[in-house]
Each structure stands twice: as structure tokens, then as C-alpha cells.
Amino acid sequence: MYPDIQPYDQGFLNTEDGHQVYWELCGNPQGKPAIFLHGGPGGGCSTAHRRLFNPERYKVLLFDQRGCGRSTPHASLDNNTTWHLVSDMERLRTEVLQSDQMLVFGGSWGSTLALAYAQKHAAHVSALIVRGIFTVREKELLWFYQEGASHLFPDYWEDYLAPIPEHERHDLIGAYHRRLTGNDRAAQLQAAHAWTQWESRTISLLPSIAHQQDHAADDAALAFARIENHYFVNKGFMKEGQLLRDAHLLHGIPGVIIQGRYDACTPAATAWALHQAWPQAEFHLVADAGHAFDEPGILARLLAATDQFS
């Protein structure tokens, strides 16, 4: 990755409906405008995300989506939907980036948000880079949170099941929702850590202690699990299959799709479906990678893509 850099400007976007959204600008103030969309939802940005862009060529805006990272109020689900985030992106584009167009870069849930934004505001997207494709279809949610990936990681799955009594396990997303939004702080945290660790343990092709520590703190785990579960209970606040159905709206946008073949969180079938629906975009299926952006084969493709559009 590119060397560590510090923001040259930062602040908060007042959404005027109860949220303060943290943002930062990095790189070259006269560079190509770009926006980075983190995963989760509920994950927040990290210093490593700044390093995916050549700081001499890009003016990069990173922001913590509603309720997570440095944004406040912490772990809030109020006025927190895909379309609220798309609106935040539009305000950040005009008020902070101050640009008519921007490169949009998103991985995992960030790919969902990137596709949603680009389909609604195609004229403002100069290029689109998406990784670990996730479109919030019911079968994608069931694969990872009900049954599917459980067959690959039966040991980790036992820990994911642990907070949920047997009689509630027919709907694990719903059962987790009741605990994550309940008033019992101990039950909230137990559910938050179990939910978060399930993803953290399965995100990479090989075990990674660093990934397992990403959301280890109580506050980070709670924001990640609460917000992610809230979006999934509500099917991403979209119609079933919407992002693939409307992929034709992307056809004028230069794009790159990057996917790990052995991604257990967001299996390659969804990336392949997007590739078929949006054949104009470059498609890279990385043979020896899982879901994480920092796996060598995926990282190399991501850096090549940002260089390509700079």
C-alpha cells in the first residue's frame, strides 16, 4: 500500500436528522476526487484505507457512516438506512469534495452502497471500484447468517449460535435483532461479540488475529453488530434483487469488479451475477483469496485499479 498519511482536513456533516457524520480529506487537494466506502455497515474507516490511493494523484474523502466509527450518536439506528447514506454521500460530494464527479470505491457492504449510489447518481460517478460484492439478497443473508457458511466453519458456528436458544434458531438474524436492540446490556454485548467474531474469523482465506481484533472493543462490536443486523433485518432497505436488476444503469461508468474465489462472507456467485449484468466493467476473480481487502491478490488488484483511474 501507499505510505501512511494524515488528513489535511476533517470535520462533521450535520445531517439535520440527528446524526453527526465524521469525514476526512487526504492526499492532494488538487487531485482526482474519490470517496471511500467502508464495510459493515457499521465498520468505520481505518488509517489503512487511506493507503489504497496514490496521495499525489487523489483527493480522497473517507467518512464513518451513520452511527459508527467517530460519527455520533454511537450505534444509533434512527434515520439510518441505505438511502440516508446515499444522501450523505451527495452532500459530502458537493459540500466537502466540491466536485461534480468522483471515483467511488467500496468493498463488501461498501460495494452495496457504491452500487446503490451509482445507480441513483450515475452522472456524478467518474469510475466505480467494487470488491467482495454484496447485494443484500435474501439468499446472500441466509448463506452467511442462517445456513451455508456454517458448513465451512462448524467450530466458529457453534460460538455464533451460543447466545441464541434452540427454539429461536430458525431465524438467527431476527433472534440477534431482539438482543442487539434490547435493554439488557450484558445480553447486548454477548450478542454483539458473537455476531462480530463470526465475521472476523471467516473474513480471510487463512486465520488472521488482526482481523479478529478489529472490533474486539465493546463499543466497536456493538456498533458493528447493531447497525449491520438492523440493515439485514430490513433487507438493506431495498427491493429483492434491486441492485442486480438495475445494473444496466451503470453501463456508462468505467468500472472494476474484484472478488476472491474463496470468499465465504460474500460468495463469488454474486460478483459473477454483477459481472454478467454489467459486462462493460473489468472483472477479476482472485484465485487465492477470501473476503478481506488486504489479502495480497485482492490488494494488488485494488491498487492497480486506483492507479488505473488516477
Side-chain angles (χ1 to χ4, degrees), residues 57-189:
R57 297 183 181 179
Y58 277 103
K59 175 184 183 180
V60 186
L61 188 148
L62 302 93
F63 73 104
D64 292 336
Q65 296 159 27
R66 295 185 181 209
C68 66
R70 291 149 289 189
S71 295
T72 60
H74 176 75
S76 173
L77 307 181
D78 296 333
N79 299 316
N80 196 340
T81 73
T82 304
W83 306 109
H84 285 101
L85 301 184
V86 167
S87 295
D88 293 345
M89 290 174 64
E90 263 297 88
R91 285 192 58 195
L92 290 166
R93 178 185 65 80
T94 58
E95 298 175 26
V96 180
L97 272 178
Q98 298 181 343
S99 174
D100 185 56
Q101 286 194 318
M102 59 186 179
L103 179 146
V104 179
F105 180 127
S108 192
W109 158 257
S111 75
T112 318
L113 184 55
L115 294 169
Y117 177 85
Q119 289 176 10
K120 189 174 178 64
H121 298 288
H124 298 307
V125 180
S126 61
L128 187 58
I129 301 171
V130 286
R131 184 270 310 166
I133 310 305
F134 177 54
T135 63
V136 208
R137 292 176 296 171
E138 184 173 9
K139 63 183 179 181
E140 296 171 57
L141 294 172
L142 292 176
W143 158 266
F144 195 59
Y145 295 104
Q146 189 63 41
E147 184 178 16
S150 56
H151 294 272
L152 300 176
F153 305 99
D155 47 349
Y156 300 154
W157 186 252
E158 287 297 317
D159 293 333
Y160 172 71
L161 290 178
I164 311 301
E166 188 76 35
H167 68 275
E168 293 186 64
R169 291 180 181 177
H170 64 284
D171 176 14
L172 289 166
I173 293 177
Y176 265 97
H177 184 71
R178 288 187 287 275
R179 285 155 181 80
L180 291 166
T181 59
N183 297 320
D184 184 331
R185 174 72 173 178
Q188 265 196 336
L189 289 177

Side-chain angles (χ1 to χ4, degrees), residues 244 247-248 251 257 268-281 283:
L244 292 175
H248 63 93
H251 286 191
I257 303 166
T270 301
W272 185 255
L274 179 62
H275 168 52
Q276 292 178 312
W278 184 29
Q280 297 87 351
F283 178 71

Side-chain angles (χ1 to χ4, degrees), residues 15-39:
T15 67
E16 301 175 359
D17 60 4
H19 290 267
Q20 297 287 326
V21 173
Y22 171 82
W23 58 264
E24 62 185 35
L25 285 171
C26 302
N28 181 352
Q30 278 71 53
K32 181 183 178 71
I35 190 167
F36 176 86
L37 307 176
H38 65 69

Side-chain angles (χ1 to χ4, degrees), residues 1 4-5 22 24 26 36 38-39 43-52 62-64 69-70 214-215 293-294:
M1 290 190 283
D4 281 320
I5 55 173
Y22 171 82
E24 62 185 35
C26 302
F36 176 86
H38 65 69
C45 288
S46 75
T47 56
H49 296 145
R50 302 170 186 162
R51 302 175 60 197
L52 293 164
L62 302 93
F63 73 104
D64 292 336
R70 291 149 289 189
D214 277 347
H215 306 294
F293 84 92
D294 56 357

